[in-house]
Amino acid sequence: MPSPGAQQPQAAARPRLGELLAQELRQEKAEEAEKAAQASQAKQARRDALEQLVHAALPDGGQTMKRLKARAARKHPATLADRLNAVRNGAPKPMEGERKTAFEALVRADLLDIADAGEIDPLVAVDKMAEALEAGMLGKGILESDRQLLEEVLDGLSIDRLYTQLNLKMTDDTMPAFTNAQVLEAPTFLGEGKISKVYALKIQNTDGSPMDAVFKPLEYEVPGLDEWSVVARLTGISREEPQTAMRNLATVAYAKTLGFHVVTDTRVALIDIGYGPFEPALGLIMERAKGKPAEEIDAEVLVQAKVCAEITKLQLLDHLTGEGDRHDKNYFIDVGSDGRAQVMGIDNDQCFGAALTDPAGAQPDLAHPLRQALHGTALPPVVDTEMELAILMLTEEHITSMLEEKLNDAEIAAAIQRYQGVKQHVIQLRQDGLVIEPHEWGQAHVQERLTPENSYMARELEVAKAFETTAPEHDAAPENDNR
């Protein structure tokens, strides 16, 4: 039987354990208190910064507050001067018609003063003024009905209304990455396609460098049946809710996940395209693609190993996203002086349709009047080891997580089906010995397998070779004209 002394170490350990637990609890409480203090300090700092901005921009409350306080003084005169003014001018009348229009002009003028003082976008100034009104920095001593009217005017100018008009979710990905504050050269109209207008502009990129960009405003109106893209109709993209922004952003997310840098990085922007600072267009902005469209690339460039590999990456991405409109005008090819090839897909709108579940389902059919509009191909007959790894590393969970805030359930389900089809195709290529090393794309036995039906590169190569065959005839024409 153990002696009483044998129990002493355990008995001594219990108080020490209790002390450690108490110490941990005290530390947790101290950390929570520190976090709360930091949050309080941050909140106060934000309030101080807002108060400083409002005071600097509107030292006397601005024209808006001057007008509203004068109306309140006529309704509830507090001084002899107020009473005399009320007798002379009568009670304030409802702000309707011309009065409301004049009042809105005063609000806009004050917002521009806030924007100038804070060097911020006018629509950001709308949020600042609304926040100052809620915090009591503005709005003291005005009529409740006038306060409500001011809130309505600010709501009508807020960024939120643009998202509501487009039925576009406000997420981290869809918040404006660029506004007029970053514009270095004003937008100029480039042209318009079937579903959107395009503007060229120069902006200050996030790293401070200038960037030549393209801006495509998102459309508010539902296109008519004659304007509705045939590709969208065939692949299952809603005419009423095309969600163009989300499809572009989903494509970019997919490319980044795969490590395929073959589409332009696309972000959301608020840019004034000529309607004034309070009526900016909410749209998509992207760096202007370098090089030339694929339709203008010579055959000798297309067959280069690096070019062929990058085009195949774009093709694989399109099979996964269900892109049905990858014709030779909507991707660019640039080969630098160092031999590095860059392929950039643009106009990534016609993708992720819920009706396209077969990854090779966007192939054109010349016998079908509508399906002639599709610009896809069969799956590539060869892939390299890097492409194989990128595809096999994906999972259904990855795809769902990547797309869940951008697409609806049916579109995500279709994307997963396309992925499974691509995955099985890649597995079969491995079994057939058709997975090559990245440096082998230029070899004859590889390129012989590529045809216009299963390869973007071969499709464009066929056209390029046909053009080169007829080019001498065109070259001779000017000489004949000179005679």
Side-chain angles (χ1 to χ4, degrees):
M1 186 170 181
S3 64
Q7 301 295 324
Q8 289 178 1
Q10 286 187 340
R14 291 192 188 97
R16 286 198 295 272
L17 181 59
E19 289 174 8
L20 289 173
L21 291 174
Q23 185 177 352
E24 284 186 13
L25 184 59
R26 288 194 298 271
Q27 186 173 350
E28 286 179 6
K29 288 183 176 179
E31 289 174 355
E32 289 175 2
E34 185 178 356
K35 288 180 181 178
Q38 290 174 348
S40 178
Q41 290 172 1
K43 183 178 180 180
Q44 185 61 46
R46 177 183 174 86
R47 181 184 175 87
D48 292 344
L50 178 62
E51 194 164 12
Q52 184 177 1
L53 172 62
V54 170
H55 179 72
L58 311 172
D60 298 317
Q63 300 178 65
T64 304
M65 290 302 115
K66 182 178 179 181
R67 173 78 180 276
L68 296 185
K69 287 178 179 178
R71 284 171 56 83
R74 285 164 57 193
K75 179 76 172 179
H76 304 292
T79 66
L80 177 59
D82 291 342
R83 287 195 292 274
L84 290 174
N85 189 40
V87 170
R88 186 181 303 114
N89 297 302
K93 297 177 181 179
M95 282 216 258
E96 299 171 347
E98 292 182 0
R99 289 186 183 85
K100 184 178 179 182
T101 300
F103 174 68
E104 290 172 343
L106 292 179
V107 176
R108 287 189 175 91
D110 283 349
L111 288 169
L112 289 176
D113 286 341
I114 293 174
D116 289 342
E119 296 182 347
I120 56 178
D121 189 85
L123 288 195
V124 177
V126 173
D127 291 338
K128 297 294 184 184
M129 191 171 189
E131 188 179 347
L133 186 65
E134 184 179 356
M137 299 172 196
L138 296 174
K140 292 177 181 177
I142 67 175
L143 300 175
E144 184 58 32
S145 58
D146 285 351
R147 174 187 288 275
Q148 292 175 1
L149 175 62
L150 176 55
E151 290 173 349
E152 289 173 10
V153 171
L154 293 174
D155 284 343
L157 293 172
S158 71
I159 294 175
D160 296 12
R161 57 159 171 131
L162 300 175
Y163 286 80
T164 301
Q165 288 170 347
L166 291 165
N167 192 27
L168 180 63
K169 293 179 183 177
M170 295 187 78
T171 67
D172 289 342
D173 287 338
T174 62
M175 293 307 293
F178 298 99
T179 67
N180 291 315
Q182 287 83 44
V183 173
L184 301 176
E185 292 181 9
T188 56
F189 182 64
L190 277 180
E192 61 184 303
K194 185 82 173 176
I195 59 174
S196 61
K197 296 181 175 65
V198 183
Y199 295 81
L201 71 163
K202 183 168 286 189
I203 60 172
Q204 186 177 45
N205 208 343
T206 50
D207 62 0
S209 63
M211 181 176 82
D212 290 320
V214 172
F215 178 65
K216 295 173 66 173
L218 297 169
E219 298 293 336
Y220 299 144
E221 297 180 3
V222 176
L225 287 173
D226 58 331
E227 298 173 322
W228 188 23
S229 162
V230 174
V231 174
R233 192 182 313 178
L234 290 172
T235 58
I237 297 173
S238 168
R239 179 167 70 95
E240 293 78 15
E241 292 292 341
Q243 292 293 323
T244 302
M246 290 304 194
R247 295 180 197 283
N248 274 272
L249 295 174
T251 299
V252 172
Y254 220 137
K256 287 181 178 179
T257 298
L258 289 168
F260 291 177
H261 304 296
V262 290
V263 292
T264 52
D265 189 13
T266 303
R267 285 167 282 182
V268 175
L270 271 173
I271 304 293
D272 178 9
I273 55 174
Y275 299 106
F278 294 104
E279 294 298 334
L282 184 66
L284 300 174
I285 196 165
M286 60 214 77
E287 185 174 7
R288 201 162 184 175
K290 297 176 182 178
K292 298 178 182 179
E295 65 171 346
E296 299 179 17
I297 300 299
D298 295 338
E300 63 182 12
V301 175
L302 289 168
V303 298
Q304 291 180 19
K306 292 179 181 179
V307 173
C308 186
E310 292 301 302
I311 294 177
T312 305
K313 287 179 184 177
L314 177 63
Q315 182 182 335
L316 276 171
L317 175 66
D318 286 347
H319 288 307
L320 291 164
T321 65
E323 174 63 58
D325 196 32
R326 189 66 70 199
H327 51 75
D328 58 4
K329 295 180 183 65
N330 88 4
Y331 73 97
F332 281 61
I333 299 173
D334 180 58
V335 179
S337 58
D338 60 354
R340 182 175 299 179
Q342 184 180 61
V343 170
M344 280 290 148
I346 64 171
D347 294 340
N348 304 299
D349 307 322
Q350 308 295 291
C351 54
F352 290 107
L356 188 62
T357 57
D358 178 358
Q363 297 177 73
D365 183 351
L366 299 181
H368 192 292
L370 288 180
R371 292 191 65 83
Q372 293 179 23
L374 294 170
H375 292 95
T377 65
L379 289 162
V382 181
V383 298
D384 66 35
T385 53
E386 291 179 357
M387 299 171 192
E388 175 191 38
L389 180 61
I391 297 297
L392 297 183
M393 288 291 288
L394 273 176
T395 67
E396 293 185 13
E397 290 74 19
H398 286 151
I399 296 170
T400 300
S401 175
M402 179 172 56
L403 303 179
E404 62 185 351
E405 285 195 339
K406 300 176 179 69
L407 306 173
N408 63 40
D409 291 345
E411 290 165 342
I412 294 173
I416 289 173
Q417 283 187 265
R418 289 192 301 272
Y419 164 67
Q420 290 296 349
V422 172
K423 179 181 178 181
Q424 291 306 313
H425 178 71
V426 169
I427 291 172
Q428 187 63 51
L429 290 179
R430 167 57 70 181
Q431 293 174 355
D432 295 342
L434 294 172
V435 177
I436 64 173
E437 293 300 323
H439 66 271
E440 295 182 285
W441 281 103
Q443 296 184 6
H445 74 91
V446 172
Q447 294 200 0
E448 285 170 359
R449 294 183 174 276
L450 307 180
T451 70
E453 291 71 39
N454 63 29
S455 163
Y456 289 173
M457 189 282 283
R459 181 185 68 186
E460 272 62 272
L461 182 62
E462 183 178 61
V463 176
K465 285 182 174 179
F467 177 79
E468 289 176 357
T469 301
T470 59
E473 298 176 11
H474 296 293
D475 291 343
E479 183 179 337
N480 292 335
D481 290 344
N482 289 335
R483 283 201 295 265

